[in-house]
Amino acid sequence: MSTIAEFGVPAGEFALRHTLEVTDDLDVEIERVIAYDPDHIMPYVWFSGVESTLETLDDALADDPSVEEAEQLSDLDGERLYRMHWVDDVTVILHLLTEEEATVLDAHVNAREWRFRVLFPEREAMSRTYEFASEQGLTINIHKIHQLEEDRHSRFGLTDAQYETLVAALDRGYYEIPRRMDMDELSDELDISHQALSERLRRAHRALVEDVIDIGESDESE
């Protein structure tokens, strides 16, 4: 079954490590990654920060041992887009894209850590990737793993009851300002107690927040 894994690699062990060390308050996000042969990848990378930081970016990239070539494509207000060739020691993405047929859904730097969100065709592919990266000396910090179930809402960690309650609340105006239906009316509509509705909504909201901002998985369920 397809699996989505969210994991981190310390920036010091991966791409752009020199650039991140010598620049302050620089945000980095990969726009997309093209695997054009098993030995090379060509990412499109957005850099954003204050102007003084961006002014030093070209020199930092030129001195970065993980960068073979960097070509600036656009220079917007506080953002720059580069097309880059990375050296072949950036092994984890190479493995993801060429050997396990995985899809990188998101890759960015967060607090000196590369964060990846990757769709694997099967859980075993994720395990092999983890083993491969570990063998290459990379530190892999797993943040979250979940399977893509037949029901799309299950990927957010919601139970059927939580999902149905959220849909009902949305349809009946519970989330509108001002509300068209309050908690008492919604609990009557769903034929559950006010307390049960409150707990179900809080658990559902927590599951959604955790899925978005990676603060851990809830062990509570309806």
Side-chain angles (χ1 to χ4, degrees):
M1 183 175 294
S2 296
T3 299
I4 290 180
E6 300 174 26
F7 59 89
V9 177
E13 299 181 14
F14 196 58
L16 301 176
R17 48 191 174 271
H18 171 77
T19 301
L20 293 169
E21 287 176 359
V22 300
T23 54
D24 297 323
D25 300 323
L26 184 67
D27 293 325
V28 183
E29 183 174 0
I30 292 180
E31 174 74 13
R32 60 192 179 108
V33 176
I34 300 174
Y36 59 92
D37 68 50
D39 297 319
H40 298 82
I41 57 174
M42 187 170 60
Y44 290 74
V45 184
W46 282 102
F47 297 89
S48 58
V50 298
E51 187 61 32
S52 59
T53 296
L54 294 177
E55 287 176 354
T56 66
L57 183 56
D58 285 336
D59 289 338
L61 292 173
D63 294 334
D64 197 315
S66 68
V67 179
E68 185 175 289
E69 182 182 350
E71 178 187 359
Q72 183 178 319
L73 300 180
S74 67
D75 186 358
L76 306 177
D77 184 19
E79 292 184 312
R80 291 185 182 181
L81 176 65
Y82 285 78
R83 180 171 56 204
M84 313 186 76
H85 291 264
W86 285 346
V87 297
D88 58 8
D89 69 340
V90 185
T91 55
V92 64
I93 288 189
L94 286 172
H95 189 70
L96 293 174
L97 293 177
T98 60
E99 294 195 27
E100 297 298 349
E101 299 182 353
T103 301
V104 179
L105 303 175
D106 179 62
H108 65 277
V109 175
N110 181 13
R112 299 294 181 180
E113 181 184 55
W114 275 97
R115 299 292 293 269
F116 296 93
R117 188 167 182 263
V118 181
L119 173 62
F120 292 93
E122 57 183 6
R123 191 179 181 94
E124 291 75 13
M126 182 204 67
S127 299
R128 289 191 296 268
T129 297
Y130 179 86
E131 293 172 1
F132 173 84
S134 298
E135 290 170 358
Q136 301 302 312
L138 288 174
T139 303
I140 304 295
N141 302 312
I142 302 294
H143 297 295
K144 185 181 296 184
I145 298 172
H146 54 92
Q147 294 180 328
L148 289 180
E149 306 288 351
E150 293 182 359
D151 296 325
R152 292 178 60 192
H153 66 268
S154 63
R155 66 180 175 149
F156 300 111
L158 298 172
T159 66
D160 289 339
Q162 290 166 358
Y163 177 78
E164 291 167 2
T165 299
L166 288 176
V167 171
L170 185 63
D171 286 345
R172 289 156 179 77
Y174 176 76
Y175 293 110
E176 292 185 13
I177 301 174
R179 286 174 172 165
R180 290 192 288 107
M181 178 175 285
D182 61 21
M183 183 83 72
D184 290 331
E185 294 171 317
L186 185 58
S187 63
D188 289 341
E189 179 85 10
L190 297 174
D191 196 25
I192 59 176
S193 69
H194 185 286
Q195 180 66 23
L197 175 61
S198 176
E199 292 180 0
R200 186 181 297 177
L201 285 174
R202 283 191 290 109
R203 289 171 177 167
H205 295 161
R206 177 178 174 180
L208 292 174
V209 170
E210 287 174 346
D211 188 84
V212 171
I213 63 175
D214 297 330
I215 61 175
E217 292 185 287
S218 171
D219 57 2
E220 296 178 306
S221 61
E222 170 62 19

